[in-house]
């Protein structure tokens, strides 16, 4: 019962910028990992950027220096600011989170993965 809603995908020219946003809602207490993945036809889904629950960030080699991931725990959102876009950045971008929830029936905490539906980013030359 966790939903992720992505927004911000569009078609832009090379050198332009986009800001992707993902809002999480549903039955959970907190969110640990938040990340953005990219997938193109015929390719696997690859990690673009990730941010941990304490704010540690990771970027793929292609994203370093151009993309910035951020989170707002008060709003349960994660954003990806993409600057100096290149045609090779084209793909479907998916939001990913690991949500934590306490299950009273079993008196345990657990973590579960969740994916958004994806938002299309197209960079033209």
């Amino acid at each position: 019962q966790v939903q992720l809603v992505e927004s911000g995908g569009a078609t832009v020219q090379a050198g332009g910028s986009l800001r992707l946003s993902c809002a999480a809602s549903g039955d959970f207490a907190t969110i640990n990992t938040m990340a953005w993945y990219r997938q193109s036809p015929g390719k696997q889904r690859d990690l673009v950027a990730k941010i941990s629950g304490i704010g540690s960030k990771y970027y793929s080699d292609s994203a370093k220096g151009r993309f910035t991931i951020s989170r707002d725990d008060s709003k349960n959102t994660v954003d990806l600011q993409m600057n100096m876009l290149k045609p090779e950045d084209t793909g479907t971008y998916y939001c990913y989170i690991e949500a934590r929830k306490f299950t009273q029936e079993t008196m345990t905490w657990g973590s579960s993965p969740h994916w958004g539906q994806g938002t299309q980013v197209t960079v033209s030359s």
Side-chain angles (χ1 to χ4, degrees):
Q1 196 181 24
V2 176
Q3 295 179 325
L4 301 179
V5 179
E6 300 130 318
S7 62
T11 298
V12 299
Q13 293 185 344
S17 298
L18 284 174
R19 188 176 184 89
L20 306 183
S21 296
C22 174
S25 62
D27 187 16
F28 60 86
T30 59
I31 300 173
N32 289 337
T33 298
M34 306 183 84
W36 286 95
Y37 287 74
R38 178 177 62 231
Q39 186 170 25
S40 298
K43 299 181 180 179
Q44 68 176 15
R45 188 173 299 182
D46 293 325
L47 177 65
V48 176
K50 178 173 64 177
I51 183 168
S52 74
I54 60 173
S56 298
K57 299 176 181 179
Y58 166 85
Y59 298 97
S60 67
D61 289 341
S62 64
K64 289 179 181 177
R66 299 186 299 123
F67 294 3
T68 302
I69 189 169
S70 60
R71 63 188 289 165
D72 186 339
D73 290 329
S74 68
K75 301 178 181 179
N76 294 321
T77 59
V78 57
D79 291 354
L80 184 68
Q81 178 66 46
M82 304 186 293
N83 298 324
M84 298 179 289
L85 284 163
K86 305 174 181 179
E88 50 262 45
D89 296 321
T90 294
T92 303
Y93 284 72
Y94 295 89
C95 179
Y96 168 88
I97 71 167
E98 293 179 356
R100 288 181 56 79
K101 176 186 177 182
F102 182 78
T103 302
Q104 192 168 2
E105 180 179 354
T106 58
M107 297 293 288
T108 58
W109 285 92
S111 180
S112 59
H114 303 277
W115 292 91
Q117 293 297 312
T119 184
Q120 180 66 36
V121 172
T122 302
V123 183
S124 60
S125 60

